[in-house]
Amino acid sequence: MKRAAGILMTMLLAFALSFSFAFAEEGETEAASDAQPVKEETEELPVGGWSPTEAIYVPEDFDLAVDTEDAGDTGKKKKIRNIINADQNSVFVKGTSAVGYNALTQAQKQVYNTIDEAATAFMNAEEDLQPTSGKYYFGKVAFGDKGITQDQALQVFYAYDYDHPGYYWISNRIWYSSSYLYLCTEEEYAKVSTRQAINLLVSSGVKEYARAAESGTNTLDKIAIVHDWIVNSIDYAYKSDGSTPESEKWAHSVHGVFDPNHRATVCEGYADSFALVMNYMDIPNYYIVGTAGSGGAGSGGGHAWNAVSADNGATYMYMDLTWDDFGGDQGYAYKYFGMPKTDFETTHFKYGPTGTGSKWLYDISEILSDSAAETYYMKGGLYYDGGGQSAEAFAAAVVSKAARAGGWVSFMCPDKNSLVAVADELDSKYSYYTTSYKGTAYYYKVTAIGGTHTHSWSEPAYTWTPDKSTVTAVRICQAANCDVGAEMETVSTTPQTTDATCIQNGRILYEATFENTAFATQTEEKTIPALGHDYKEVPGSAVAVTCTTDGKEADQKCSRCNDVITGETIKAPGHNYEEVEGSAITVTCTTDGKEVDQKCSRCNDVITGETIKAPGHNYEEVAGSAVAVTCTTDGKEADQKCSRCNDVITGETIKAPGHNYEEVAGSAVAVTCTTDGKEVDQKCSRCDSVISGETITALGHEWGEPVYQWAGDKSTLTATRYCAHDVNREHVETETVGVTEAITEDSTCSKEGVRTYTSGAFKNPAFEVQTTIEAIAMEDHTPAEPVEENRIEPTCTLPGSYDLVTRCAVCTAELKRESVSIEALDHDLISHEAKAPTCTRSGWEEYETCSRCDYSSMKKIAAMGHIWQHVKVKAGLLKNGSEYDRCKTCGAKKNVKTLVGYATYYVKGFKVASGKKSFTAKWAKQTKAKQKKFSGYQIRYSLKSGMGGAKYAYAGKASKSKTIKRLKAKKYYYIQVRTYTKSGGKTFYSKWSAKKKVKTK
């Protein structure tokens, strides 16, 4: 930032662009005694920063797959509609102009609108732009079919570029063929995330400038505030050599203006940012390009500037912010703010509608002011001629107005006496700048206040940069003869961001804390607008409507928060049936007929015509045609003849039914396990034919699994099995055998014993020997002597206990458990003496403790604390002092500070001479008597008037000059000198001399 911490009002403008810098010539009498003769100097103004877009011709077969749909002939400019969530108050919507568009033919406007469609698509893109042959194209726009020439097509592009000062990403190169324009951006802007970040910086910066301007009392005042903010917030962008305009794309657009990583631009960025803010505020203006320089049209270099209207377009005034900005920490003026047209156009040469290629520009036919009375110095209240207002009132007014954007005070007078009168009120020296409006000379002034006094500070004023990245605090000394004038500190802010959602605003809270304790911590909050839903169709959610079933529009789902809008139902319209020609069929006796078919004209659904059933023949029997059927020979039914069509149906053959056999009761013989049986005989019920039943062979036995049954006393075991064929269970085999027993496991007091029973062997081999067991009851336990377990010893305050346990002497099983209590012991007390408290340590009263436990009756007495007394030992000549706080009770110290002593000031006749990359500081040599009173001279020098980053050099006490070499050529340096004295192992310094300024050769 230009507003460096420490000093504001004492900063002198080092050069004033094309102003002539002068002091009173030697011998000329001024109103004050400290006027200094200095030769007039001029500074070369920056030109060549603006360069036209490079137009590159490519063959007609140049292939680029980014065709942009023709926007058509709309008859009017199509504003961007979708950028920044379709916010029509967006900087990128309101910040556009229609000046270029209105200068085009109807055919050219069609191409303009197509370019706008491509730019809109690029701004709304959700994916990074990929390169084609190393270039980043975002649109291919046809013009060959519109009946316009290549030069006219390029005019459309220039008009679009000038109408959109916020489009920092448009390349300074354009490719074209005989039929197409190929729109391009730069690699650094191909990423969506990069553009989004810069868009936010530009948008917030423009809105901040506009908000600051709203404090103006009228349109002219608002324009001036924007002028001051821009020139006071940025520097002219040079390359590292300090003289060549920067060629990087950021320096040629609003990117360099609003990005805190740059805060620098060339004339193109000054003009772009001013036009963007004016458009956003609906203040009529022109963006102008051409050449600038003192050598006439075509001299100098490419340049961009503006014209602006303070009366809603009735008249316009020229504006060149670039040439009003002195650069670095030198401040700014208003020389080119409303400069009369006659004077302005002696150095600025705009292009026009008759120009070809990049030298084309729309016509600026509105009335341009051509009077000194229309300059901002006069119309803005910064002109003083001594009449109607006191110098004191005028000085107060210009200081108040200057505080809007950083505190630079610039005013104009018609004569030196008026200038000196105001300078006296501002305690400023009598340096001035001169220029001429319409042949009349005027004098310009920048304030400076000097002298030694006790400061009388005003309340601090705080100024935020548009992007909230820094805050500048200023307070002004209101006392006369002040050699400081003001204190200023610029600090970076700490942002705390709460992100916005679709439906809720976010915020950024900025906080700035200053080292200077006179400045209070500042906070500002910036609202991040709610994003709004980003609805997109849900794939597969749409349902097609048919004639008979309802359909549904596609659901919409927000890509950020997943909120869903269900698609509207589309009602089924129903069928629209029509007759199908030729679809009807005539009915006969044997074939059905059919009514006409119906077919839906929308979905081709068909309703088949109803069938008309054939009535069938009316058959009657033919006499004598029937044949009787028997069991073994076929018969035939009577023939049938139709009474309507004489169709004959031969009687069906009646198949011989065969015999109808039935069982002969009592003829069957049952089969058994040991005897054959016979099936039942069959006899025909029609003809009495008989079939004898088949013989059934005897089955034989099929024995089941044996079943074993123990006697109740286990003395015997019986085995039995039955034949499966015998449902009456008469076929059975059974056998009983004796049983033996034995004790196989003895019983104890902890487990049961086992007795086993075993059967004897069976004679029938189908039966097997069987065993079974029974339990023998357990023996009784043998109690052992009781033992003690789980003992807990008693304490001073708590009883103890233990368990008395009885177990079995054989198996150790627990038979009995009793709990036994032990009484508490009480404390074994020891006495302790009391101790008094001190300032930092606590004390206590008499108390007791226990020898066995942690019991204590101590009651602490809090430390008394220090009783502080402030002590100050003043510093003096060659003697340091001190300042501290001391405790009246114990003598402890804190907040000890050393107060630095001073030395006597022995500098007289201080002046500086310029040399090649050097300067020589000179002063009057002191007498030997005075040389004994100090040790030498200290010199400091800096490129900044506030002495920031100063370097130091030393000279002996007998010397009368010091030459500083290896400096930068043709640069202004600020120099001061003072004496120092060494005493008692310490070095003491006098006050600094007044600053001198010199330009190296």
Side-chain angles (χ1 to χ4, degrees):
M1 294 296 296
K2 298 177 182 179
R3 293 164 284 186
I7 298 178
L8 173 64
M9 300 299 289
T10 55
M11 294 180 176
L12 297 177
L13 296 176
F15 57 91
L17 303 179
S18 65
F19 294 3
S20 297
F21 184 98
F23 292 86
E25 294 295 334
E26 187 171 3
E28 181 179 352
T29 302
E30 288 286 0
S33 60
D34 60 350
Q36 302 178 49
V38 176
K39 67 178 181 179
E40 293 187 4
E41 295 181 342
T42 59
E43 287 293 332
E44 184 176 350
L45 299 166
V47 293
W50 177 79
S51 57
T53 299
E54 180 183 6
I56 304 170
Y57 181 79
V58 294
E60 190 60 40
D61 60 356
F62 181 69
D63 185 24
L64 181 63
V66 291
D67 287 346
T68 302
E69 183 179 352
D70 196 321
D73 182 7
T74 64
K76 62 181 180 178
K77 180 185 174 188
K78 295 172 70 175
K79 289 275 189 177
I80 300 264
R81 295 176 301 281
N82 301 315
I83 295 173
I84 317 299
N85 294 325
D87 178 7
Q88 292 302 312
N89 290 318
S90 158
V91 166
F92 298 99
V93 176
K94 290 184 65 177
T96 62
S97 169
V99 173
Y101 179 83
N102 293 331
L104 302 177
T105 67
Q106 201 62 35
Q108 286 177 309
K109 290 177 179 178
Q110 294 181 43
V111 178
Y112 185 108
N113 287 332
T114 305
I115 293 175
D116 197 46
E117 292 291 336
T120 302
F122 180 63
M123 284 288 276
N124 288 333
E126 297 180 354
E127 296 182 358
D128 295 343
L129 184 63
Q130 301 303 316
T132 301
S133 301
K135 306 293 187 300
Y136 290 84
Y137 302 102
F138 65 85
K140 176 182 177 183
V141 178
F143 66 83
D145 58 348
K146 304 295 187 300
I148 62 176
T149 65
Q150 294 174 0
D151 196 56
Q152 289 173 321
L154 290 173
Q155 289 173 6
V156 176
F157 174 78
Y158 298 138
Y160 188 84
D161 191 17
Y162 301 155
D163 280 352
H164 294 78
Y167 284 11
Y168 56 87
W169 44 264
I170 293 180
S171 176
N172 55 6
R173 293 171 295 172
I174 184 169
W175 280 257
Y176 70 99
S177 67
S178 59
S179 301
Y180 294 96
L181 294 176
Y182 301 93
L183 309 177
C184 188
T185 188
E186 301 297 333
E187 180 179 5
E188 62 184 299
Y189 304 124
K191 286 186 173 295
V192 173
S193 59
T194 299
R195 294 199 304 279
Q196 288 176 340
I198 298 173
N199 288 350
L200 181 59
L201 293 173
V202 173
S203 180
S204 61
V206 170
K207 290 179 180 179
E208 186 64 24
Y209 283 6
R211 279 195 294 270
E214 288 305 319
S215 65
T217 57
N218 53 47
T219 302
L220 180 64
D221 207 26
K222 293 175 182 179
I223 294 170
I225 292 172
V226 174
H227 167 283
D228 295 353
W229 271 86
I230 292 175
V231 298
N232 199 41
S233 298
I234 58 175
D235 288 321
Y236 194 88
Y238 289 108
K239 291 189 175 182
S240 58
D241 62 8
S243 59
T244 304
E246 179 59 68
S247 60
E248 291 293 330
K249 184 66 176 76
W250 59 261
H252 291 257
S253 71
V254 296
H255 179 187
V257 175
F258 294 106
D259 190 335
N261 294 318
H262 299 303
R263 287 297 186 196
T265 186
V266 297
C267 60
E268 194 170 355
Y270 282 95
D272 274 339
S273 58
F274 182 76
L276 181 60
V277 180
M278 292 297 100
N279 291 339
Y280 182 75
M281 297 177 66
D282 292 326
I283 296 176
N285 71 97
Y286 285 99
Y287 177 87
I288 305 173
V289 295
T291 62
S294 58
S299 68
H303 196 55
W305 62 94
N306 307 89
V308 64
S309 174
D311 52 13
N312 201 28
T315 59
Y316 283 76
M317 68 185 86
Y318 276 126
M319 169 81 76
D320 189 342
L321 283 81
T322 309
W323 284 13
D324 269 349
D325 188 356
F326 288 4
D329 59 358
Q330 305 303 312
Y332 53 86
Y334 302 105
K335 178 179 180 180
Y336 294 92
F337 188 163
M339 174 181 276
K341 176 177 181 292
T342 302
D343 298 318
F344 194 90
E345 291 183 353
T346 61
T347 54
H348 292 70
F349 310 97
K350 64 181 182 294
Y351 294 148
T354 60
T356 59
S358 61
K359 293 184 179 180
W360 174 88
L361 182 67
Y362 33 71
D363 185 33
I364 302 175
S365 58
E366 279 80 356
I367 299 173
L368 284 160
S369 62
D370 197 27
S371 167
E374 296 299 315
T375 64
Y376 182 65
Y377 276 114
M378 291 196 178
K379 290 189 72 174
L382 299 178
Y383 180 73
Y384 181 71
D385 59 5
Q389 185 182 26
S390 69
E392 179 182 9
F394 177 79
V398 295
V399 169
S400 175
K401 184 164 290 192
R404 296 177 308 191
W408 292 104
V409 176
S410 180
F411 61 92
M412 186 171 76
C413 297
D415 56 75
K416 296 179 184 178
N417 288 335
S418 297
L419 182 141
V420 169
V422 177
D424 280 339
E425 294 298 330
L426 296 172
D427 295 324
S428 178
K429 295 183 179 180
Y430 309 129
S431 57
Y432 57 83
Y433 303 90
T434 64
T435 191
S436 174
Y437 285 157
K438 302 289 286 185
T440 300
Y442 295 95
Y443 299 83
Y444 296 85
K445 178 63 188 157
V446 176
T447 60
I449 302 173
T452 301
H453 70 292
T454 300
H455 292 299
S456 176
W457 296 110
S458 66
E459 286 298 316
Y462 302 93
T463 304
W464 293 74
T465 52
D467 62 0
K468 309 296 185 189
S469 61
T470 61
V471 182
T472 299
V474 179
R475 63 173 183 166
I476 300 172
C477 180
Q478 299 170 332
N481 302 319
C482 179
D483 59 355
V484 175
E487 287 185 339
M488 182 176 71
E489 182 180 353
T490 299
V491 297
S492 298
T493 60
T494 303
Q496 299 177 6
T497 303
T498 301
D499 293 333
T501 67
C502 292
I503 59 176
Q504 290 185 329
N505 292 340
R507 73 165 191 171
I508 305 176
L509 180 64
Y510 298 89
E511 183 174 275
T513 303
F514 298 88
E515 290 186 7
N516 189 335
T517 56
F519 299 142
T521 297
Q522 298 295 300
T523 60
E524 278 209 17
E525 183 175 310
K526 181 185 293 184
T527 298
I528 304 172
L531 303 175
H533 291 296
D534 179 28
Y535 287 112
K536 291 182 171 56
E537 285 192 2
V538 178
S541 62
V543 178
V545 66
T546 69
C547 290
T548 57
T549 59
D550 292 343
K552 185 172 74 69
E553 295 178 348
D555 297 337
Q556 303 288 324
K557 185 176 182 179
C558 179
S559 63
R560 286 186 279 266
C561 70
N562 295 325
D563 182 69
V564 175
I565 299 176
T566 303
E568 295 289 331
T569 298
I570 305 170
K571 290 293 185 181
H575 293 297
N576 182 34
Y577 287 112
E578 298 174 350
E579 288 189 357
V580 179
E581 186 178 354
S583 60
I585 301 173
T586 304
V587 67
T588 68
C589 285
T590 57
T591 59
D592 294 341
K594 184 170 72 68
E595 295 177 350
V596 68
D597 295 337
Q598 303 288 324
K599 185 175 182 180
C600 179
S601 62
R602 283 190 283 264
C603 68
N604 296 326
D605 182 71
V606 174
I607 299 176
T608 304
E610 292 290 331
T611 299
I612 305 171
K613 290 294 184 180
H617 296 292
N618 184 30
Y619 288 111
E620 297 176 352
E621 286 188 2
V622 179
S625 62
V627 178
V629 67
T630 69
C631 285
T632 57
T633 60
D634 295 339
K636 182 172 80 68
E637 294 178 347
D639 296 334
Q640 303 289 321
K641 184 177 182 180
C642 180
S643 63
R644 284 189 284 267
C645 67
N646 296 322
D647 183 72
V648 175
I649 299 176
T650 303
E652 291 288 336
T653 299
I654 304 171
K655 289 293 185 181
H659 296 293
N660 182 33
Y661 287 110
E662 296 176 351
E663 288 187 358
V664 179
S667 63
V669 178
V671 67
T672 69
C673 292
T674 56
T675 60
D676 293 338
K678 183 175 76 71
E679 294 179 348
V680 68
D681 295 337
Q682 302 290 325
K683 183 178 180 180
C684 179
S685 63
R686 284 188 284 268
C687 66
D688 295 332
S689 172
V690 175
I691 299 174
S692 297
E694 294 290 330
T695 300
I696 302 170
T697 305
L699 300 175
H701 292 299
E702 183 179 343
W703 298 109
E705 287 297 319
V707 177
Y708 298 96
Q709 180 66 45
W710 295 87
D713 58 359
K714 304 275 193 307
S715 60
T716 62
L717 176 65
T718 300
T720 305
R721 67 175 181 167
Y722 297 93
C723 176
H725 299 304
D726 183 11
V727 296
N728 296 323
R729 299 177 72 88
E730 294 176 350
H731 296 172
V732 62
E733 289 184 342
T734 182
E735 183 179 355
T736 299
V737 296
V739 175
T740 61
E741 66 173 87
I743 296 175
T744 53
E745 284 190 43
D746 292 330
S747 63
T748 68
C749 63
S750 60
K751 69 174 182 176
E752 295 176 330
V754 177
R755 179 178 283 106
T756 302
Y757 296 90
T758 305
S759 70
F762 293 92
K763 293 179 181 179
N764 189 334
F767 301 145
E768 298 178 349
V769 172
Q770 301 295 307
T771 62
T772 187
I773 63 172
E774 68 179 9
I776 303 172
M778 291 190 298
E779 301 292 334
D780 293 335
H781 288 295
T782 303
E785 287 296 322
V787 295
E788 185 180 300
E789 292 183 357
N790 303 326
R791 185 177 181 88
I792 299 174
E793 295 295 339
T795 67
C796 295
T797 58
L798 296 174
S801 66
Y802 61 88
D803 293 337
L804 196 61
V805 182
T806 303
R807 289 186 170 82
C808 177
V810 177
C811 68
T812 71
E814 184 177 311
L815 305 180
K816 182 180 179 183
R817 179 178 294 271
E818 295 179 88
S819 179
V820 181
S821 178
I822 307 172
E823 291 184 354
L825 302 176
D826 290 334
H827 291 302
D828 180 20
L829 298 175
I830 301 173
S831 296
H832 299 273
E833 294 182 351
K835 183 176 180 180
T838 67
C839 290
T840 57
R841 294 185 180 182
S842 58
W844 54 80
E845 299 174 352
E846 290 183 358
Y847 67 96
E848 293 178 325
T849 58
C850 178
S851 65
R852 284 192 292 265
C853 68
D854 59 358
Y855 167 78
S856 174
S857 64
M858 175 187 283
K859 293 183 180 179
K860 287 192 175 182
I861 304 171
M864 295 183 295
H866 293 297
I867 300 174
W868 297 108
Q869 181 180 35
H870 191 69
V871 179
K872 184 174 182 180
V873 180
K874 292 185 177 180
L877 179 65
L878 305 182
K879 180 180 70 174
N880 287 341
S882 62
E883 188 174 2
Y884 54 86
D885 294 323
R886 181 175 62 195
C887 178
K888 294 173 67 176
T889 304
C890 67
K893 294 181 180 180
K894 70 173 184 178
N895 301 328
V896 178
K897 292 190 231 175
T898 298
L899 304 180
V900 178
Y902 57 89
T904 303
Y905 182 72
Y906 289 108
V907 180
K908 289 186 178 180
F910 173 49
K911 58 185 177 179
V912 181
S914 175
K916 185 175 182 180
K917 293 186 179 181
S918 67
F919 65 79
T920 299
K922 301 178 181 180
W923 53 84
K925 186 175 181 179
Q926 298 292 337
T927 64
K928 289 186 179 180
K930 287 190 176 180
Q931 288 179 23
K932 293 179 181 179
K933 297 180 180 180
F934 68 101
S935 303
Y937 297 92
Q938 183 186 47
I939 303 96
R940 70 172 177 178
Y941 55 96
S942 172
L943 289 167
K944 298 180 180 180
S945 63
M947 306 308 290
K951 295 183 179 180
Y952 296 84
Y954 293 86
K957 60 185 178 180
S959 63
K960 58 181 180 180
S961 67
K962 178 69 174 182
T963 299
I964 308 298
K965 300 180 179 180
R966 300 182 192 177
L967 303 178
K968 295 182 179 179
K970 298 182 179 180
K971 292 290 183 180
Y972 281 104
Y973 282 86
Y974 297 86
I975 305 101
Q976 290 179 295
V977 64
R978 66 181 177 182
T979 54
Y980 67 91
T981 304
K982 292 185 177 181
S983 175
K986 296 182 176 64
T987 301
F988 298 90
Y989 295 91
S990 74
K991 67 178 182 179
W992 286 106
S993 70
K995 287 194 292 289
K996 301 292 183 181
K997 184 178 75 170
V998 68
K999 184 178 181 181
T1000 57
K1001 297 178 181 178

